[in-house]
Amino acid sequence: MTYIVTDACVKCKYMDCVEVCPVDCFYEGENFLVIHPDECIDCGVCEPECPVDAIKPDSHDEPDGKWLRVNTEYSKTWPNITVKGTPPEDADRFKDEKGKFEKYFSTEPGTGS
């Protein structure tokens, strides 16, 4: 099992999870974070830290494995992030919105740390 970042992170990217990860397995996109599934040690400390409940065990993925695929793909190309950055100024405006991935997801990398 690994943990995955899901739709709720898009456009929010609060990054509280980054601060507690003991193995630095988070990678940063322009408006989304992902977890590298081969680096995650399944400790689960990141899950309760997410204020929008975007982090789930992969056993709670969609039936087609969408989120594991997204996390796997982008963790290979986006920069590693080890320090909590500043969330987007409009993060609170998007935190309760559903279906954000299809509307707003950017494939562009973030700045990392």
Side-chain angles (χ1 to χ4, degrees):
M1 183 182 81
T2 186
Y3 282 82
I4 52 176
V5 182
T6 62
D7 187 74
C9 183
V10 176
K11 299 276 286 176
C12 289
K13 203 169 86 167
Y14 288 107
M15 298 179 270
D16 297 47
C17 52
V18 171
E19 290 285 293
V20 299
C21 182
V23 294
D24 299 331
C25 66
F26 282 89
Y27 290 79
E28 183 183 19
E30 179 180 34
N31 66 3
F32 189 65
L33 298 176
V34 294
I35 295 172
H36 192 302
D38 295 333
E39 295 174 1
C40 177
I41 60 170
D42 311 330
C43 67
V45 296
C46 59
E47 186 179 17
E49 296 302 314
C50 181
V52 293
D53 199 28
I55 300 172
K56 304 286 184 192
D58 67 350
S59 58
H60 289 92
D61 198 350
E62 293 185 12
D64 66 356
K66 172 184 179 175
W67 296 112
L68 182 57
R69 280 194 317 276
V70 167
N71 281 253
T72 301
E73 179 180 347
Y74 291 101
S75 65
K76 293 176 184 176
T77 58
W78 286 352
N80 186 245
I81 182 169
T82 59
V83 177
K84 179 181 177 178
T86 304
E89 288 183 21
D90 58 355
D92 289 342
R93 194 176 102 209
F94 291 95
K95 71 180 183 178
D96 296 320
E97 188 172 336
K98 305 292 183 218
K100 296 187 292 184
F101 186 80
E102 287 72 24
K103 290 187 233 176
Y104 308 118
F105 176 74
S106 169
T107 60
E108 294 299 312
T111 57
S113 62

